Amino acid sequence: MNNFRIIKNNIKDAFKSVFRNFSLSLASISCITITLILVGVAMLLSLNVNNFTEDIEKDVTIVAFIEKGTETSDINAIERHIRSLANIDSITFLSNENIRKEMSTESDELASILNQYDSETNPLLDEFLIKVSDVERISETAHQVEEIDNITSVRYGEGMVEELVKVFDIVKNITYIVVIGLSVVTVFLISNTIKITINNRKRQIEIMRLVGASNPYIKRPFFVEGIVLGFLGSILPILVISWGYIYLYQKMGGIVFTQVITMVNPDQVLFTLALELMAMGVVVGAFGSSWAVRRHLKI
Amino acid sequence: MNLVEVKNVYKQYKNGVTALSDINLSIPKGSFVFVIGSTASGKSTLIKLLYRQEKPTRGEVYVGGINVAKLRNRKVYKLRRKIGIVFQDYKLLPQMTVFENVAFALEIYGLRKSEVRKKVMTALEKVGLKEKFRSYPDQLSGGEQQRVSIARAIVNDPKILICDEPTGNLDPNTSLEIMEIIDSINKDGTTVIMATHDKDIVNKYRKRVIAINKGILTSDKENGGYI
């Protein structure tokens, strides 16, 4: 019961201290706020980039055209061969008749041209639609497929896909680095604030020690204050990021430039993101203050 | 029963100055002891050893059954909870009221508000400052500030009250007022050890007097006066 009361007092005192040293706390909270806003943006960006990449990966297909007149048994052999390759996720066979029928439904013009042919004269080629597991190795896989007998040609949007994935990877890595960098800066800023609080309270600490406060008891308020600073610093970023993202999502209609690249739905991510930002504020606050206490509170 | 035992204590500071040499003394429970000596005599060092602000270079110091000489830094609080300390410069927190300054010493125990209030008001009553519990230190005279500091030292009913020149900053009349309070605390059963170089007080109160000169205990007399 006593410990509970002491911790309750610690939290109360931490809030008091935050408001007592308001300008200092405000500076610190502002820094955390800015950092967490950037972190939030970076996290959302990273989430969306991941989403884009997944979208693209889902859509990327190798089309392997089969030489005209290839026997069904040979087609089966090709399928087995493709399945035996590494990096194959799925494979679908489309006969030229199916393709003709499907294409005929796309436009009347196309239909009128294709309807001149029947199954005997169909000029289209049978094909395999191949999905790969790792998009970054798509060109290697396409090349292997192309080598197989009776495959005339292979198409997979050469170059473009790999470039896009590479760009997204770079963006993702940069955001990770930014998030880590900013976290370090925030830890440093909080630790600096706590250091100043410690200096401001030198006399108080001295008296606490004289009246019999144990070392953990003396240290705890600073630790709690760091957590409180982190917590307070996370409120504004959560609001800004949530409203900002919802606004952007609605404004853009959930897509970026093309239908292919969709944005992550705010409902799916914002709650977790808010918790993560708050947790990050608290952890960074605790970390910064314990660092300051270890370095500057000599008792 | 002796509350304080000092055995063969030497204290040499890092700069080579020997502050205390072969000090031996014992202080029984309930007694009142003046520690006198000129500036830099070593009396402050002796007082600091008692509340473990300093550690002896050699020898043993027992306070309330605790071997202070071997007490680790993180265990010092155990000793400090058994003693009350009063300083020349009061060591009050200016941003806190009289009440809060005294209650500050009780915070570490996590007591109920009502208990804290009762104890603080009792302590303030003992030092005659009950009416001023809402004042801030800078609204008080030096003597009143010292009374707050005494209230803080006794609020937890310590076994020993250690006073390091408590009247050093005060005029003779106020000094006597403070002495009256400290004497009454002693009469209530608390052991008092007080470092001072206030001749008038020492001569007036006729307590046990331990004199230290150049780090050596030169005299130890019951009902002594200032040499």
Side-chain angles (χ1 to χ4, degrees):
Chain A
M1 193 59 196
N2 279 359
N3 280 336
F4 175 71
R5 203 173 289 135
I6 287 170
I7 289 170
K8 203 177 84 185
N9 281 344
N10 281 161
I11 295 172
K12 208 170 73 188
D13 287 348
F15 272 98
K16 258 194 217 164
S17 161
V18 165
F19 289 103
R20 200 171 269 164
N21 306 317
F22 192 66
S23 53
L24 191 69
S25 304
L26 191 69
S28 185
I29 290 171
S30 309
C31 288
I32 303 166
T33 299
I34 293 165
T35 310
L36 285 183
I37 287 176
L38 291 174
V39 167
V41 169
M43 281 165 85
L44 273 179
L45 204 64
S46 173
L47 273 173
N48 274 291
V49 165
N50 266 336
N51 191 45
F52 301 163
T53 318
E54 272 173 29
D55 274 358
I56 288 172
E57 283 176 0
K58 258 186 258 160
D59 275 5
V60 169
T61 313
I62 299 173
V63 184
F65 297 101
I66 303 161
E67 216 164 283
K68 208 145 189 73
T70 308
E71 296 294 322
T72 315
S73 59
D74 288 336
I75 291 173
N76 289 340
I78 295 169
E79 186 175 346
R80 280 197 299 278
H81 191 155
I82 293 173
R83 279 194 195 282
S84 72
L85 296 174
N87 198 28
I88 302 295
D89 183 45
S90 70
I91 172 167
T92 320
F93 176 74
L94 283 178
S95 70
N96 61 352
E97 269 308 285
N98 282 343
I99 299 168
R100 188 170 69 94
K101 281 175 197 158
E102 203 178 297
M103 282 172 83
S104 302
T105 62
E106 280 178 21
S107 76
D108 292 343
E109 211 172 312
L110 210 53
S112 70
I113 298 169
L114 290 171
N115 286 340
Q116 295 169 16
Y117 300 99
D118 57 22
S119 60
E120 293 300 313
T121 57
N122 186 348
L124 300 169
L125 298 175
D126 293 336
E127 63 186 43
F128 279 114
L129 297 180
I130 304 159
K131 300 242 181 210
V132 292
S133 335
D134 180 5
V135 178
E136 284 182 43
R137 286 167 53 209
I138 192 166
S139 101
E140 183 192 329
T141 311
H143 194 70
Q144 286 169 342
V145 174
E146 203 170 14
E147 294 289 292
I148 300 171
D149 285 346
N150 294 323
I151 295 286
T152 57
S153 62
V154 164
R155 291 280 172 274
Y156 65 95
E158 293 89 332
M160 198 271 281
V161 173
E162 290 120 310
E163 281 307 308
L164 207 54
V165 169
K166 254 185 218 158
V167 169
F168 282 172
D169 263 351
I170 291 170
V171 172
K172 215 158 72 179
N173 288 337
I174 289 174
T175 53
Y176 285 151
I177 291 168
V178 170
V179 166
I180 292 168
L182 288 177
S183 308
V184 171
V185 171
T186 313
V187 166
F188 178 75
L189 284 171
I190 292 182
S191 122
N192 222 27
T193 308
I194 300 294
K195 178 183 136 188
I196 293 167
T197 316
I198 289 172
N199 283 337
N200 285 348
R201 280 196 232 151
K202 277 238 153 83
R203 197 175 170 82
Q204 197 171 332
I205 294 165
E206 182 199 351
I207 296 167
M208 280 173 100
R209 229 172 123 65
L210 287 172
V211 299
S214 63
N215 290 0
Y217 183 89
I218 295 172
K219 287 174 180 174
R220 197 162 47 214
F222 297 104
F223 190 64
V224 174
E225 192 174 330
I227 291 176
V228 167
L229 285 174
F231 170 75
L232 292 176
S234 71
I235 293 174
L236 199 60
I238 289 172
L239 297 179
V240 168
I241 294 280
S242 303
W243 282 334
Y245 190 66
I246 290 170
Y247 176 79
L248 198 70
Y249 187 82
Q250 285 167 350
K251 192 94 181 161
M252 311 260 299
I255 56 162
V256 186
F257 311 125
T258 78
Q259 291 287 349
V260 179
I261 306 179
T262 57
M263 289 172 77
V264 181
N265 191 326
D267 294 346
Q268 288 170 357
V269 287
L270 285 184
F271 183 68
T272 320
L273 188 77
L275 285 182
E276 279 169 356
L277 284 180
M278 191 177 283
M280 194 165 164
V282 166
V283 168
V284 163
F287 199 71
S289 56
S290 58
W291 189 34
V293 164
R294 237 192 347 263
R295 284 192 54 196
H296 303 290
L297 191 56
K298 303 276 181 245
I299 48 178
Chain B
M1 182 194 155
N2 291 328
L3 262 190
V4 175
E5 286 275 0
V6 178
K7 292 178 186 168
N8 311 110
V9 160
Y10 289 79
K11 176 66 188 177
Q12 189 173 32
Y13 285 107
K14 278 180 186 156
N15 60 12
V17 172
T18 303
L20 293 173
S21 254
D22 198 19
I23 303 288
N24 287 283
L25 60 94
S26 36
I27 298 172
K29 192 178 170 193
S31 53
F32 192 127
V33 180
F34 283 121
V35 180
I36 62 167
S38 56
T39 309
S41 60
K43 67 177 188 305
S44 265
T45 302
L46 177 63
I47 292 289
K48 282 178 181 165
L49 289 180
L50 297 181
Y51 63 90
R52 181 45 179 79
Q53 189 68 13
E54 295 289 346
K55 267 179 158 181
T57 315
R58 245 196 300 157
E60 288 172 348
V61 178
Y62 286 92
V63 176
I66 296 174
N67 189 349
V68 180
K70 285 188 177 159
L71 197 61
R72 284 172 184 274
N73 243 6
R74 60 191 169 83
K75 298 278 182 199
V76 168
Y77 75 95
K78 290 189 172 176
L79 167 74
R80 302 270 169 91
R81 287 183 184 191
K82 293 189 174 192
I83 59 180
I85 315 169
V86 177
F87 296 92
Q88 183 173 355
D89 60 355
Y90 327 130
K91 293 200 194 297
L92 299 176
L93 293 164
Q95 74 275 22
M96 290 186 183
T97 63
V98 166
F99 183 91
E100 288 166 339
N101 263 289
V102 179
F104 192 70
L106 292 175
E107 254 179 36
I108 48 178
Y109 301 101
L111 301 177
R112 277 197 191 83
K113 259 189 184 172
S114 55
E115 287 174 85
V116 171
R117 198 178 162 78
K118 201 173 137 198
K119 277 177 174 272
V120 171
M121 291 319 269
T122 308
L124 283 175
E125 195 171 9
K126 275 187 195 165
V127 299
L129 267 187
K130 205 177 167 186
E131 309 305 318
K132 296 207 169 176
F133 73 98
R134 281 201 188 92
S135 306
Y136 285 89
D138 60 6
Q139 297 168 325
L140 303 176
S141 68
E144 287 171 327
Q145 289 188 49
Q146 190 58 292
R147 284 197 259 164
V148 178
S149 148
I150 294 170
R152 182 181 63 198
I154 59 164
V155 72
N156 197 38
D157 303 318
K159 290 181 182 171
I160 307 169
L161 183 65
I162 297 173
C163 309
D164 194 0
E165 309 257 10
T167 59
N169 283 354
L170 306 173
D171 62 63
N173 282 339
T174 316
S175 295
L176 282 177
E177 281 171 29
I178 294 295
M179 256 324 286
E180 280 302 312
I181 292 167
I182 296 175
D183 196 32
S184 74
I185 291 166
N186 173 245
K187 286 192 173 117
D188 287 343
T190 308
T191 309
V192 175
I193 302 165
M194 175 170 157
T196 184
H197 52 235
D198 191 323
K199 274 183 194 172
D200 295 342
I201 284 176
V202 176
N203 289 334
K204 182 169 189 282
Y205 281 85
R206 292 279 151 192
K207 306 281 187 185
R208 179 179 168 191
V209 177
I210 293 169
I212 293 180
N213 189 20
K214 291 179 184 165
I216 295 164
L217 199 154
T218 51
S219 92
D220 183 351
K221 283 183 188 152
E222 288 295 338
N223 307 318
Y226 209 96
I227 308 145

